[in-house]
Amino acid sequence: MRIRIVGAGAMGRGIAQWAAVAGHTVELCDVRTEAVTAAVDFVRSMLERAVHKGRMSSGDAAAALERLIPLDDPWAPGPEVELVVEAVREDLDTKAEVFGKLEGALPESAVFATNTSSLSVTRIAAALRDPGRLAGLHFFNPVPLMKIVEVVPGAATRPEIPPALTALVESCGHRAVTVADTPGFLVNHAGRGLVTEALALLEESVADPAGIDRIARDVLGLRMGPFELMDLTGLDVTAAVIDSIWEGFRHEDRLRPSYLTPNRVAAGLHGRKTGQGWFPYGSGATGPAAESPVTGDAGRPVFVAGPEGDGLRSALNAAGATVEDGPEPSAGAVVLVPVWGTTVAAAVSALGLPGARTFGVDPLPAAGRRRVLSVTPAADPVAARDARAVLARAGEGQEPYAVSVVRDTAGSVAQRLLASIVSVAASIAERSLATPADIDLAVTTGLGYPAGPLAWGDRIGAARLLELQRGLHSTTGDPRHRPTRWVTERAQLGLRLTDPGTAPADCV
């Protein structure tokens, strides 16, 4: 296939390298000829690096480079061009102008694709004489390594184009997911579940950014915590995406932005690229402060309360802790209450527990060796330090647990992050913006989560997840936590969250 790529920046050159290596002839052009020269030099250096590392033969690299054709004029006639991929700046008028000029230069048979990450594909296509020839083909940076592409049909896109683009993408070694033309498409939309909830936790002073990141990594198994991720992406970019998706979905509560970001963006606290974000960067930067050492009395008696307590009780017994077995705690014991979707304060009230000595523990199975201790305003600091020391205990020959101390909140940190990740994905599924399989594929490939959000929910179980959503919603009253129809129905019907279910169209 002969492909013309318009725009020789980071995305354009990455798409050019990807397509040329896959065997396609690629015309690379830009209104700035120096950008094309720099892009070709960059692709050459990437191919040379691949050869040096043994990932490609020198012959294959030379052949790929030969298939990359610098083009001086983006609007030059191209009777053999079958596909155009536009990768210019994110501006509706600019993209419409580019495609308008291409429409006059290229054959009617050429398919047009925009690499937009945030603009409406339908609105871009509307400026064309034939809007049916255009679809979205959204790559992620760096293109050769991010092996996922969103195929986005606009409202007028001809039905044969999305399957053809999917086949092209997958023949070149990437995975393709078909996504509705909605704000954020799929990956950026699904990613709001993590960062918006992390910001909400910070707003409520549940934990600081470093503490939330540690829990996200060590309990949920994420490669990066949400605040590390925002610093890497750039808070200016993240905040703009959050705002645009929230506005695009008409102020959907589940996607609500934080009041914390505008001032930080205005102050230039964008992350790595400015040297300071949620954390400092650059020479001399020490990163997040280290966790405080465990200093309490690990031998203090402990009483485990509540219906969720059996697993914690067994684990502490195995670690040699002094676990009381009576119907109520002794006067000297600290009390640990595993809570699911509710608060420690509610458990203190419901079970008649001593407020100064009662603490919450997240029962969510951890990906690493970290436990989370929730502290209420009534807590005795000495008892809190002792509870932390008890929770840090491990069995013989094992490393002690790291123990995060957070402010009491419904569901604690990890539960709220996970519930939000699953809820946002479930809302995408229930709107039929993408299939459950494509949602999970896009998120694991595009965001690097340890599991797709719907498959992750299935690990917990639909009924258990619904209990969590209901607990968060009833305890906080915040509509961002309301149970999703997708989870509610599947819990009631005994279906998995990854099950697309039967549609009415299947029954006629």
Side-chain angles (χ1 to χ4, degrees):
M1 176 180 287
R2 193 174 189 92
I3 302 172
R4 179 175 296 186
I5 296 171
V6 182
M11 293 304 300
R13 71 193 184 192
I15 298 167
Q17 178 184 335
W18 168 80
V21 168
H24 299 287
T25 300
V26 178
E27 298 176 352
L28 181 60
C29 51
D30 196 289
V31 293
R32 299 172 298 117
T33 55
E34 66 274 15
V36 178
T37 301
V40 172
D41 289 342
F42 178 84
V43 172
R44 180 183 293 108
S45 69
M46 290 297 99
L47 296 177
E48 289 172 351
R49 178 182 297 182
V51 172
H52 179 72
K53 292 187 174 182
R55 297 173 182 165
M56 177 183 286
S57 71
S58 57
D60 286 345
L65 198 60
E66 199 170 301
R67 288 190 290 269
L68 182 57
I69 302 170
L71 200 63
D72 292 334
D73 181 8
W75 331 122
E80 297 179 349
V81 172
E82 299 173 69
L83 172 67
V84 174
V85 181
E86 164 273 313
V88 303
R89 68 189 182 94
E90 283 288 277
D91 176 78
L92 182 63
D93 292 338
T94 301
K95 291 179 184 292
E97 181 184 359
V98 165
F99 282 117
K101 291 181 178 179
L102 289 167
E103 196 172 30
L106 299 179
E108 294 181 359
S109 58
V111 173
F112 289 172
T114 174
N115 183 54
T116 182
S117 60
S118 60
L119 299 175
S120 164
V121 172
T122 300
R123 292 186 66 191
I124 295 170
L128 295 173
R129 294 192 302 271
D130 177 13
R133 73 193 298 186
L134 187 142
L137 200 58
H138 180 212
F139 293 83
F140 295 84
N141 193 34
V143 174
L145 299 181
M146 296 293 287
K147 296 183 178 296
I148 188 73
V149 182
E150 294 176 327
V151 177
V152 189
T157 302
R158 289 195 293 271
E160 70 271 14
I161 288 179
L165 291 176
T166 296
L168 169 67
V169 167
E170 297 195 338
S171 71
C172 295
H174 277 30
R175 302 294 298 275
V177 291
T178 302
V179 189
D181 184 18
T182 52
F185 304 142
L186 176 49
V187 173
N188 283 332
H189 185 173
R192 297 318 93 201
L194 175 66
V195 294
T196 54
E197 195 61 34
L199 288 165
L201 288 162
L202 184 61
E203 283 183 7
E204 299 167 29
S205 301
V206 174
D208 63 10
I212 295 170
D213 279 357
R214 291 185 188 107
I215 293 169
R217 290 192 306 265
D218 296 347
V219 177
L220 296 181
L222 296 172
R223 295 177 187 173
M224 299 183 73
F227 294 96
E228 293 175 294
L229 180 61
M230 284 186 268
D231 275 357
L232 178 64
T233 304
L235 186 61
D236 54 333
V237 175
T238 299
V241 171
I242 290 173
D243 287 348
S244 67
I245 293 176
W246 179 64
E247 290 166 4
F249 280 99
R250 299 299 187 262
H251 299 176
E252 160 64 52
D253 288 301
R254 221 181 296 281
L255 304 169
R256 188 171 65 236
S258 169
Y259 69 79
L260 295 174
T261 57
N263 280 349
R264 297 186 69 88
V265 171
L269 303 175
H270 298 171
R272 291 177 181 270
K273 61 187 176 185
T274 61
Q276 178 68 52
W278 300 107
F279 309 110
Y281 300 92
S283 59
T286 56
E291 289 185 89
S292 300
V294 176
T295 58
D297 178 8
R300 184 167 176 171
V302 61
F303 181 86
V304 181
E308 300 273 353
D310 288 347
L312 178 62
R313 190 178 296 108
S314 297
L316 292 177
N317 272 317
T322 304
V323 182
E324 295 184 347
D325 291 328
E328 59 184 33
S330 68
V334 292
V335 181
L336 299 178
V337 186
V339 288
W340 186 254
T342 59
T343 61
V344 183
V348 167
S349 176
L351 301 175
L353 300 171
R357 295 183 284 123
T358 299
F359 307 92
V361 181
D362 191 344
L364 192 67
R369 295 188 64 77
R370 180 174 295 276
R371 289 170 170 159
V372 182
L373 182 75
S374 297
V375 176
T376 74
D380 169 40
V382 173
R385 288 191 287 271
D386 292 346
R388 186 178 182 221
V390 171
L391 279 181
R393 296 184 66 134
E396 186 176 351
Q398 295 180 319
E399 290 291 323
Y401 283 90
V403 181
S404 295
V405 180
V406 303
R407 181 177 180 175
D408 183 28
T409 184
S412 196
V413 173
Q415 290 174 38
R416 279 182 54 173
L417 291 176
L418 180 57
S420 182
I421 289 169
V422 176
S423 293
V424 170
S427 70
I428 293 172
E430 67 188 23
R431 289 184 171 109
S432 299
L433 305 184
T435 66
D438 278 355
I439 293 168
D440 279 358
L441 171 63
V443 170
T444 53
T445 309
L447 298 178
Y449 289 6
L454 299 178
W456 208 343
D458 280 337
R459 292 181 182 178
I460 303 300
R464 176 84 162 154
L465 194 63
L466 178 59
E467 180 187 355
L468 173 58
Q469 289 184 340
R470 285 175 170 166
L472 293 173
H473 190 222
S474 63
T475 303
T476 66
D478 191 335
R480 73 187 292 118
H481 299 304
R482 71 188 186 280
T484 58
R485 174 167 56 87
W486 189 268
V487 172
T488 302
E489 286 180 338
R490 277 151 182 77
Q492 293 169 337
L493 296 170
L495 298 175
R496 296 174 64 81
L497 300 183
T498 47
D499 189 338
T502 303
D506 299 330
C507 303
V508 294

